[in-house]
Amino acid sequence: MFRAILYSQWKWSRLIVVLGTIAGFALPIVSVQGAARGDRSPLDAEQLLRAVQGWGTLYPVLAAALGLLVAVASWAPDHRGRHVHALTLPLPRWQYVLLRFAAGTAMLTAPIVGVCAGALLATAAATLPPGLQGYPFALALRFALAVLVAYALFF
């Protein structure tokens, strides 16, 4: 039953998930673009932090947008069909809602992995000034929590 719901959820929200994954992958790379220049000297710590901070406001925006759009895409076909399909299934309503929630959560793993991969690549490509360190897994974990909280709120 979960596979069928996951497949139908993928059908309805695949464009959102693919675009969110691409945006999540590109965001860390774009945010450190000044630190990865090979032809010029690397940015000093203050300039790098200012550049990363400017792009950093887009992480919560992306997380909220993904949570909202995937949550809306989860229930859009049911609303269009006036929940007739959900009421004809041979399982309790609470179990159907739980399966639908788990399928949406599974859909959101792709953008989270995209942010993690982008952060790992950006950290490896950037020339960080002395005294600064990159924490790609902490960024991915915080993004994951933000996406899942937004999804749970809008679901």
Side-chain angles (χ1 to χ4, degrees):
M1 183 58 114
F2 179 71
R3 261 186 20 203
I5 291 176
L6 184 63
Y7 174 72
S8 64
Q9 185 100 2
W10 169 251
K11 226 167 52 172
W12 300 324
S13 62
R14 65 180 169 234
L15 182 64
I16 298 164
V17 171
V18 168
L19 291 177
T21 303
I22 292 169
F25 179 77
L27 190 57
I29 295 170
V30 171
S31 67
V32 295
Q33 66 187 354
R37 296 180 187 153
D39 58 342
R40 291 188 231 161
S41 63
L43 297 174
D44 66 346
E46 184 180 340
Q47 290 174 335
L48 179 64
L49 290 176
R50 193 175 306 125
V52 171
Q53 183 181 10
W55 287 98
T57 57
L58 294 178
Y59 290 103
V61 171
L62 180 62
L66 282 172
L68 173 67
L69 293 174
V70 171
V72 168
S74 297
W75 292 109
D78 282 339
H79 288 304
R80 274 183 293 211
R82 302 202 184 271
H83 301 277
V84 171
H85 172 71
L87 294 173
T88 59
L89 292 175
L91 66 151
R93 181 78 173 159
W94 67 268
Q95 192 174 4
Y96 177 70
V97 170
L98 189 63
L99 288 171
R100 180 79 66 192
F101 184 81
T105 304
M107 290 288 110
L108 290 172
T109 57
I112 293 168
V113 170
V115 167
C116 186
L120 284 170
L121 185 64
T123 304
T127 306
L128 298 177
L132 289 182
Q133 295 180 4
Y135 296 100
F137 292 113
L139 176 69
L141 179 66
R142 289 179 178 156
F143 182 77
L145 289 174
V147 166
L148 294 176
V149 166
Y151 175 68
L153 285 174
F154 292 123
F155 185 79

